[in-house]
Amino acid sequence: MIIDHHPFEVNAAGHLMIGGVDSLTLAEKYGTPLYVYDVGIIRKNARSFVQTFKDLDVQAKVAYASKAFSSIAMVQVAKQEGLCLDVVSEGELYTALQAGFPTERIHLHGNNKSREELKMAVDENIGCIVIDNLYEIQLLEEILREENKTIDVLIRVTPGIESNTHQYIMTGNEDSKFGFNLINGQADEAFQLLHNHGHIQLKGLHCHIGSQIFETEGFMVAVNLLFDQLEKWLDQVDFVPEVLNLGGGYGIRYTEEDEPLAYHIYAEKIVAAVRENSERLNISLPEIWIEPGRSIVGNAGVSLYTIGSSKEIPNIRNYVSVDGGMADNIRPALYEAQYEAVLANKATEEPTTTVSIAGKACESGDMLIWDLPLPEVQPGDVLAVLATGAYGFSMASNYNRLAKPAVVFVEDGMDRLVVRRESVEDIVKNDLSYE
Ligand SMILES: *Cc1c(COP(=O)(O)O)cnc(C)c1O
């Protein structure tokens, strides 16, 4: 059964339970479309990374990539779990500050950080800036000189390897808008500028090879390539990295076909590769940082929708429409992302029909799931799309002037609204009249 691939229970009435609460109760109380997170699963995911490094007795930082899902409540959970936090914009940084996240545990990313973003990062004394390009170095130097401050940085490098995943979300290959190329000397140019810099403290290297990765090979290759470069800098100028950041990308299960590795396996393999290389170079083990996003929140999230109209095209397809779609979850339209779903009120009933789930936006491409096996579907049934916790709400838009859904956190049988549903007033709140 579909529900067996996902970390959720079904109660005696056949209703999908999330964090100990009946999903139908949530749909009724908060309305749909609704994003619901089982916070217990978020914590479990975070702890499986953190605990593995502890067990291996290595210095490590697990930074939650908040672009996967950022809100004040989510950032607070990351804080409670002792994670660091990756932010990539003024908005994500501001969210972290509003959440009371310790600034020394915040890391700033981005391939086009603005002067304002860099200044905000410096003013707030965040823990680290991951340097992406030469222009940014120039901006950062100016800000630090003006303010007579220093800041820790990593150099982001693109190791020129391909990870085995969908090309639209691949960022570690050579032809990438991110980071400094290791092969053509750009990384070396950045290093020459930054090591022994008066205001910029170079701590080490960063790389992020891709997303939704189901094997560890790519991380091993990346570590080896980073160390090939580090060996040169060690020989040339005695540079010893304090930090190596291997990024995120740990795969999760969306559908039955996905076979994710247990998270501790990624951590163990990365530690083994860094350890081996450090011994080879005879340097002490650098601190290991990772940046999971999807693997922290993805499988903890469920989207609830109410079924409305349907359209049967004999011998072709049955379309069933829901009250949300590409505006609250762009992933299927953007990169053909696949999801599984159940009827929340008939979660253990055997499928008797196959339907395709259409969103309500005026786009033929607004389809959430093609050919989904379901029990008999009635208007008013609640559809629960599973594993929507990452890059769902965070990529939501107001296309068709649809209001963004509410977000609810559930933990230990208690539900709590953490992002209010947008209203039509919110939709026009920045519009100005022209008459
Ligand atoms: C997106 C991103 C992550 C998180 O990736 P996931 O696939 O969600 O784990 C980590 N680091 C960087 C630099 C990223 O751009």
Side-chain angles (χ1 to χ4, degrees):
M1 254 185 313
I2 282 178
I3 197 63
D4 298 336
H5 320 145
H6 300 274
F8 298 103
E9 314 261 296
V10 177
N11 71 9
H15 296 180
L16 176 72
M17 300 291 287
I18 308 172
V21 177
D22 188 329
S23 58
L24 292 182
T25 309
L26 297 170
E28 202 163 297
K29 181 168 171 186
Y30 300 101
T32 57
L34 183 68
Y35 270 96
V36 184
Y37 284 85
D38 180 334
V39 180
I41 297 175
I42 298 177
R43 295 192 195 283
K44 185 165 162 262
N45 291 337
R47 286 172 198 176
S48 58
F49 286 113
V50 171
Q51 190 57 43
T52 305
F53 290 116
K54 268 198 192 131
D55 291 345
L56 294 168
D57 200 22
V58 296
Q59 292 297 313
K61 286 190 165 73
V62 178
Y64 169 57
S66 69
K67 69 178 182 200
F69 168 56
S70 176
S71 77
I72 287 176
M74 179 58 219
V75 169
Q76 288 168 336
V77 171
K79 175 178 66 175
Q80 291 156 12
E81 292 302 319
L83 305 182
C84 292
L85 196 76
D86 276 6
V87 299
V88 297
S89 69
E90 197 182 1
E92 285 185 4
L93 177 52
Y94 186 73
T95 305
L97 298 174
Q98 291 296 302
F101 199 89
T103 57
E104 70 278 8
R105 279 168 29 202
I106 299 175
H107 308 155
L108 178 65
H109 267 284
N111 65 300
N112 190 21
K113 304 177 187 80
S114 68
R115 172 183 285 276
E116 292 70 30
E117 284 164 341
L118 289 166
K119 186 166 177 337
M120 189 171 170
V122 169
D123 289 345
E124 297 294 342
N125 301 307
I126 73 160
C128 182
I129 294 178
V130 182
I131 301 283
D132 187 275
N133 55 73
L134 295 174
Y135 175 63
E136 175 184 340
I137 295 176
Q138 197 185 319
L139 289 177
L140 186 60
E141 272 178 337
E142 285 168 19
I143 295 165
L144 292 168
R145 280 220 185 85
E146 274 164 25
E147 308 203 2
N148 195 24
K149 288 181 103 167
T150 63
I151 198 154
D152 290 350
V153 305
L154 301 179
I155 296 176
R156 176 169 184 169
V157 300
T158 40
I161 55 171
E162 298 211 346
S163 62
N164 180 20
T165 185
H166 199 297
Q167 60 169 352
Y168 294 134
I169 42 181
M170 196 162 64
T171 54
N173 54 343
E174 270 187 276
D175 182 7
S176 164
K177 72 169 182 169
F178 295 109
F180 296 93
N181 200 299
L182 267 183
I183 295 156
N184 69 9
Q186 288 171 343
D188 196 50
E189 191 181 347
F191 174 79
Q192 301 306 335
L193 282 172
L194 293 180
H195 96 99
N196 290 334
H197 193 285
H199 293 274
I200 299 176
Q201 313 288 326
L202 178 61
K203 295 286 167 181
L205 295 182
H206 168 283
C207 81
H208 171 70
I209 59 170
S211 203
Q212 187 63 353
I213 299 167
F214 289 125
E215 34 78 34
T216 56
E217 185 61 26
F219 296 97
M220 310 293 93
V221 176
V223 169
N224 291 339
L225 287 166
L226 293 185
F227 269 93
D228 288 348
Q229 183 63 66
L230 287 166
E231 186 171 7
K232 291 182 192 143
W233 294 334
L234 178 68
D235 289 346
Q236 287 164 13
V237 294
D238 279 336
F239 177 76
V240 176
E242 288 170 54
V243 173
L244 276 192
N245 187 329
L246 278 307
Y250 317 105
I252 69 159
R253 168 169 278 175
Y254 286 99
T255 70
E256 192 176 9
E257 275 94 75
D258 296 330
E259 300 281 357
L261 295 173
Y263 297 160
H264 69 91
I265 295 174
Y266 295 103
E268 284 162 6
K269 293 281 187 185
I270 287 171
V271 169
V274 174
R275 195 167 256 153
E276 195 176 294
N277 276 282
S278 304
E279 282 167 8
R280 181 170 65 79
L281 266 56
N282 199 21
I283 59 171
S284 48
L285 191 70
E287 210 172 284
I288 297 171
W289 295 7
I290 60 166
E291 307 174 308
R294 187 191 314 275
S295 51
I296 300 289
V297 290
N299 67 345
V302 176
S303 310
L304 300 179
Y305 300 98
T306 303
I307 304 265
S309 65
S310 49
K311 172 179 177 176
E312 191 177 332
I313 309 174
N315 305 321
I316 298 186
R317 193 181 298 285
N318 289 349
Y319 286 92
V320 167
S321 295
V322 294
D323 54 355
M326 66 187 290
D328 58 79
N329 187 351
I330 189 75
R331 295 185 67 255
L334 187 62
Y335 26 63
E336 293 171 26
Q338 313 264 315
Y339 288 100
E340 292 178 336
V342 296
L343 289 179
N345 47 328
K346 305 170 190 171
T348 46
E349 275 181 34
E350 287 298 330
T352 53
T353 178
T354 298
V355 302
S356 291
I357 305 296
K360 68 180 272 124
C362 295
E363 279 283 332
S364 321
D366 182 16
M367 294 297 299
L368 281 176
I369 304 176
W370 294 99
D371 301 325
L372 173 70
L374 282 183
E376 251 1 88
V377 190
Q378 310 281 338
D381 282 345
V382 173
L383 185 79
V385 182
L386 302 158
T388 58
Y391 306 106
F393 186 82
S394 69
M395 286 188 165
S397 78
N398 291 118
Y399 182 55
N400 283 190
R401 298 232 126 180
L402 292 167
K404 285 188 197 159
V407 183
V408 170
F409 273 12
V410 187
E411 188 164 22
D412 298 329
M414 307 279 286
D415 52 279
R416 194 140 137 202
L417 184 66
V418 296
V419 181
R420 265 196 298 271
R421 180 177 303 285
E422 280 184 342
S423 63
V424 283
E425 291 79 20
D426 291 329
I427 295 286
V428 297
K429 86 171 176 265
N430 292 323
D431 289 11
L432 301 171
S433 178
Y434 189 56
E435 59 172 29

